[in-house]
Amino acid sequence: MTDSSRRTPVARVGATPAGRRRLRRSLASAAVDLFVAHGYEATTIDEIAAAAGIGRRTFFRYFDAKDDVLFANHDEIVAEMEEAFAAADPSRDPVEVACAAVSLVLDSYAADLDGSLKRFTLTRTVPSLRDKEVATVDRYQRVLARYLQRRFEEQGDTMAALRAAVAAAAIAAANNHVLRRWLRSGGKEDIEAGAAEAFALVIDAFRTTRPSGGGQAGTVVAVMSSSAPLPEVIAQVSAALRQSDGTTADPS
């Protein structure tokens, strides 16, 4: 089989939006297998492209660099999250909406267990990929914060920006906790049950309105690192809630 005859079907697949998504995923799958088999540093872009049946120039139409290919569906998930925000019932608690949207990340990992476990191994052993993963999580968190800030501002919250940033950090921490625990179990744990439990804690902590001792709705602000583990996030928020009585708590 010649090189051109091998590549023609793939080129046609990439002619439609659905085809482009399939080609991106094909490149990601080929890259992961090569990284695992030969090592990340030893694998070239030409080898990834050849394994997917395309040329080098076509590769760069989809990705800017080799490390981008490991997170091929990142842009798709961000777009789906934005669509979920746009379609959300405005009467629904915004933190509930944000938790439901970020669960798309978990759904994506669960849909490809083999690939997810391989990526998990790679991100733990290749520093540059770990950095890329951190940047990916940060982008999800910023998307969440933008949505939450807009919703909080609509509700007249005078601390909307800060509250949104803190809530987004807690949601991201919950998501990461569930995902990593699921990956460490080899995909054997119930990821949906874990997510429901973790997000319920966050929703309860950041509920839009909460009765205080005086019967008025209070605002609680907890400042913490976005990389803090879920138990620490929940502990700090819970402490702030216990201390609040219609006032603002700041356990930094």
Side-chain angles (χ1 to χ4, degrees):
M1 179 182 294
T2 65
D3 184 64
S4 61
S5 65
R6 176 167 55 84
R7 292 177 184 170
T8 298
V10 178
R12 288 175 180 166
V13 166
T16 65
R20 286 191 286 274
R21 285 194 295 271
R22 287 195 293 272
L23 182 50
R24 286 173 65 88
R25 291 169 184 170
S26 176
L27 281 164
S29 178
V32 168
D33 288 342
L34 287 170
F35 293 160
V36 170
H38 306 299
Y40 173 75
E41 297 296 342
T43 301
T44 67
I45 288 175
D46 288 336
E47 289 171 336
I48 296 170
I54 63 171
R56 180 183 178 88
R57 290 178 62 183
T58 301
F59 176 94
F60 284 110
R61 292 174 189 165
Y62 291 86
F63 301 104
D64 294 328
K66 186 170 66 172
D67 58 359
D68 289 337
V69 75
L70 200 65
F71 305 93
N73 62 345
H74 172 60
D75 289 339
E76 294 174 24
I77 294 174
V78 169
E80 290 173 0
M81 289 173 66
E82 297 282 13
E83 290 172 3
F85 294 148
D89 183 346
S91 66
R92 188 179 179 189
D93 187 279
V95 179
E96 289 184 6
V97 174
C99 287
V102 83
S103 67
L104 291 168
V105 178
L106 300 178
D107 293 342
S108 174
Y109 275 82
D112 180 18
L113 175 59
D114 181 64
S116 296
L117 292 176
K118 289 176 180 176
R119 284 196 299 273
F120 183 53
T121 298
L122 288 165
T123 54
R124 285 189 300 171
T125 56
V126 181
S128 62
L129 294 180
R130 174 58 180 163
D131 292 343
K132 188 72 175 182
E133 182 184 48
V134 170
T136 299
V137 172
D138 180 68
R139 186 179 176 192
Y140 290 138
Q141 186 170 318
R142 284 186 281 115
V143 170
L144 293 169
R146 283 198 301 271
Y147 165 74
L148 290 170
Q149 180 175 344
R150 176 174 60 81
R151 289 294 310 278
F152 292 157
E153 287 174 346
E154 291 171 354
Q155 296 170 351
D157 192 331
T158 58
M159 300 185 69
L162 177 58
R163 186 161 172 244
V166 175
I171 294 169
N175 179 79
N176 293 342
H177 172 80
V178 173
L179 179 58
R180 288 170 184 162
R181 189 172 67 180
W182 177 75
L183 289 167
R184 291 190 185 101
S185 76
K188 295 178 182 178
E189 287 200 6
D190 188 335
I191 194 171
E192 292 184 1
E197 179 182 30
F199 291 142
L201 290 172
V202 177
I203 291 167
D204 183 64
F206 290 94
R207 196 173 298 280
T208 302
T209 58
R210 175 179 296 278
S212 66
Q216 301 295 320
T219 297
V220 175
V221 177
V223 180
M224 64 205 75
S225 168
S226 61
S227 61
L230 180 60
E232 180 181 335
V233 172
I234 299 304
Q236 290 196 39
V237 172
S238 297
L241 290 171
R242 287 194 299 270
Q243 294 169 14
S244 67
D245 184 19
T247 59
T248 299
D250 182 4
S252 57

